[in-house]
Amino acid sequence: VYVNDLPLWSAAISVGLVSMALAMELLRESRLLGPSSVLAGFAIGVSLGELRLALYFFPLDGLLAGALMIIGFYLATGLVHHLLDHDLEFGTTLEYLLVGAAATTAVVIARIFV
């Protein structure tokens, strides 16, 4: 969706739909099935679609923007999965945020020097 120069709205909608489907598949293994997993998958899809819209305003090539979308998907699905399993603790949240920050920093540094 980044390299093929799709129109912005269709790219955001396609990213959102694919993210929603992948998130619902990953959240299927949580203890709470049914409406909670479907709504969480929908929220992740909407969030990733919004991230695609936001990345439009940054001068990134396709590979770096794709890496940022994967980082966002990792953060969203990981935190929601722990939230649905009722084992989201401060340490787990901090771990996800630190990994996300380190990965985002690596992408920004790659953008500057590459």
Side-chain angles (χ1 to χ4, degrees):
V1 295
Y2 235 93
V3 177
N4 293 332
D5 291 330
L6 293 174
L8 182 60
W9 288 102
S10 62
I13 289 172
S14 63
V15 165
L17 289 175
V18 170
S19 298
M20 181 179 72
L22 288 173
M24 287 191 329
E25 180 63 26
L26 287 173
L27 296 175
R28 188 174 54 113
E29 56 189 54
S30 66
R31 292 183 210 152
L32 289 176
L33 296 174
S36 298
S37 293
V38 172
L39 290 175
F42 178 75
I44 290 171
V46 168
S47 298
L48 267 288
E50 289 176 347
L51 178 62
R52 172 59 181 97
L53 286 173
L55 289 177
Y56 172 77
F57 297 102
F58 294 98
L60 296 171
D61 63 344
L63 183 63
L64 295 178
L68 285 175
M69 286 193 283
I70 289 173
I71 294 166
F73 184 78
Y74 164 77
L75 284 172
T77 55
L79 290 173
V80 168
H81 182 72
H82 283 285
L83 185 66
L84 290 177
D85 279 346
H86 300 293
D87 64 350
L88 182 65
E89 298 173 352
F90 179 74
T92 307
T93 305
L94 187 62
E95 176 184 334
Y96 274 98
L97 291 177
L98 286 175
V99 169
T104 303
T105 303
V107 169
V108 169
I109 289 173
R111 168 64 178 104
I112 292 171
F113 293 112
V114 173

